[in-house]
Amino acid sequence: MRGAVLYGPRDVRFEEREVPKIIKPTDAVIRISSACVCGSDLWPYRGIQPTAQPTPMGHEYCGIVEEVGSAVTSIRPGQFAIGSFFASDNNCPNCQAGYQSSCQHAEFVGGAQASVLRVPLADGTLVTTPDVPPDELIANLLAVSDVMGTGWFAANAANVKPGKTVAVVGDGAVGLLAVLSAKQMGAERIMAMSRHPSRQKLAREFGATDIVSERGDEGVARIKELTKGIGADAVLECVGTQQSMQQAIQSTRKGGYVSYVGVPHGVELNGEQLFFAHVHLHGGPAPVRRFLPELIKLVWNRKIDPGKVFDLTLPLAQVAEGYRAMDERRAIKTLLRP
């Protein structure tokens, strides 16, 4: 089997890897129908997050179950399944509270940019579709494995409700799907912060009512201007930088909500500033498993099309070009076909 392996900054290779097998009785092995490159993959790709050794890449996945361990009861071979980037037993106290990405037995699921993947804790991690989906739904179902689930968590954690005013910081796949999520949750006004025409267009299609091209202090001033000096009820931070976090907090009205789902790099919060900001702050690794049944149903019933964030499709063998295109912002998100 061949798959993507990151050796160091901007050094992704498509090479032979060991075929995944059942290791524990709670495992499942699935044949990948589609894989993709995540925006968070760009942190190690750019060398911002160091890579100590050659690392199989990819944590978004969907496909046909080929084999299950002896302890797996709810998943069977032949089913089409989607899972999260964190395997969870879906049974521990954290899972029961809806935070499966902090499961007491969580395992990171990596190596999905390949043709076959081992998924630990299959009963608690995988969710199946009513039937094997048609090809036109594959991209949408792949999106719910991470970016749609993360965008949904961003809206959920920021307490987006019908009639609310929302701002989204970040125009990558997660930010764009946070716009879609806010729209689905009934937000009346959605301000998408973006400087890129193609991303602005998709944000509009997903439900954005306003586009804010300014960043930093200018971006905050523009949000305040659009909200008559008050700020947004909910701000969804979908990047993970110091500037984006500060922009989110400062764009929020007193008593409003800030969610943060971008993996933080170099983010530090000033306690006094946060104290007087008077905002609710909630985020972290998205508990995608909590939302999978609902999101799969929305996709299956053709209510949402999150797969539109995939604006570049390549054979898996060209995975290195997929990374380059996203790194150079020539693509929002790369879909890979094994």
Side-chain angles (χ1 to χ4, degrees):
M1 180 191 80
R2 294 172 70 82
V5 179
L6 180 68
Y7 277 78
R10 293 180 169 82
D11 184 8
V12 173
R13 307 177 194 178
F14 185 66
E15 62 182 27
E16 284 297 327
R17 284 172 29 192
E18 186 176 350
V19 178
K21 298 177 180 178
I22 299 294
I23 297 175
K24 298 179 181 179
T26 50
D27 290 346
V29 170
I30 68 173
R31 182 158 295 277
I32 297 294
S33 295
S34 280
C36 58
V37 180
C38 183
S40 64
D41 291 334
L42 297 181
W43 294 109
Y45 179 75
R46 291 167 174 162
I48 298 171
Q49 180 181 317
T51 304
Q53 59 188 15
T55 304
M57 296 296 289
H59 55 263
E60 299 163 273
Y61 58 94
C62 62
I64 301 291
V65 179
E66 287 201 331
E67 186 181 2
V68 298
S70 59
V72 176
T73 60
S74 64
I75 306 295
R76 65 179 185 274
Q79 290 183 306
F80 189 92
I82 303 104
S84 170
F85 47 87
F86 273 112
S88 59
D89 61 20
N90 207 33
N91 193 46
C92 80
N94 292 341
C95 288
Q96 290 298 297
Y99 288 85
Q100 291 91 337
S101 49
S102 286
C103 175
Q104 291 178 313
H105 305 102
E107 293 184 46
F108 183 71
V109 182
Q113 290 166 6
S115 54
V116 181
L117 177 70
R118 181 182 75 91
V119 180
L121 301 171
D123 278 326
T125 303
L126 295 174
V127 178
T128 59
T129 53
D131 203 344
V132 175
D135 189 64
E136 64 265 22
L137 284 187
I138 298 295
N140 287 334
L141 292 168
L142 177 62
V144 306
S145 175
D146 181 355
V147 285
M148 183 65 210
T150 298
W152 196 267
F153 177 55
N156 175 274
N159 198 39
V160 174
K161 302 287 185 185
K164 296 294 184 180
T165 295
V166 176
V168 178
V169 182
D171 63 357
V174 170
L176 291 167
L177 292 175
V179 170
L180 176 60
S181 299
K183 179 67 174 178
Q184 285 289 311
M185 293 182 189
E188 181 175 317
R189 191 176 192 185
I190 304 171
M191 297 171 284
M193 308 190 88
S194 172
R195 290 180 168 181
H196 303 87
S198 63
R199 298 172 188 232
Q200 292 172 356
K201 181 180 178 182
L202 189 53
R204 291 275 193 190
E205 188 175 339
F206 281 159
T209 56
D210 301 87
I211 300 295
V212 175
S213 59
E214 296 87 352
R215 288 185 182 175
D217 292 341
E218 292 181 354
V220 173
R222 181 61 178 149
I223 293 292
K224 291 293 183 70
E225 180 184 349
L226 289 169
T227 56
K228 300 180 180 179
I230 297 170
D233 298 311
V235 181
L236 287 50
E237 193 283 302
C238 303
V239 183
T241 65
Q242 181 73 17
Q243 183 188 63
S244 61
M245 182 64 89
Q246 289 299 317
Q247 188 169 304
I249 293 170
Q250 294 170 24
S251 298
T252 309
R253 68 163 173 82
K254 304 301 183 184
Y257 291 77
V258 176
S259 64
Y260 56 101
V261 298
V263 180
H265 286 77
V267 176
E268 295 183 359
L269 299 180
N270 180 291
E272 183 178 1
Q273 178 196 34
L274 191 60
F275 183 78
F276 287 104
H278 229 154
V279 299
H280 300 77
L281 190 63
H282 181 44
V288 172
R289 177 60 182 82
R290 187 207 310 180
F291 308 117
L292 275 178
E294 181 177 4
L295 295 178
I296 290 171
K297 185 176 180 180
L298 286 170
V299 166
W300 198 262
N301 292 329
R302 276 71 170 177
K303 301 294 186 182
I304 57 173
D305 294 301
K308 288 182 178 179
V309 295
F310 295 109
D311 56 346
L312 177 63
T313 299
L314 295 172
L316 183 58
Q318 296 179 29
V319 60
E321 169 57 21
Y323 274 84
R324 282 192 294 270
M326 288 178 61
D327 180 41
E328 297 166 4
R329 296 185 76 83
R330 290 184 283 113
I332 300 171
K333 192 167 180 66
T334 304
L335 182 74
L336 301 168
R337 295 285 191 181

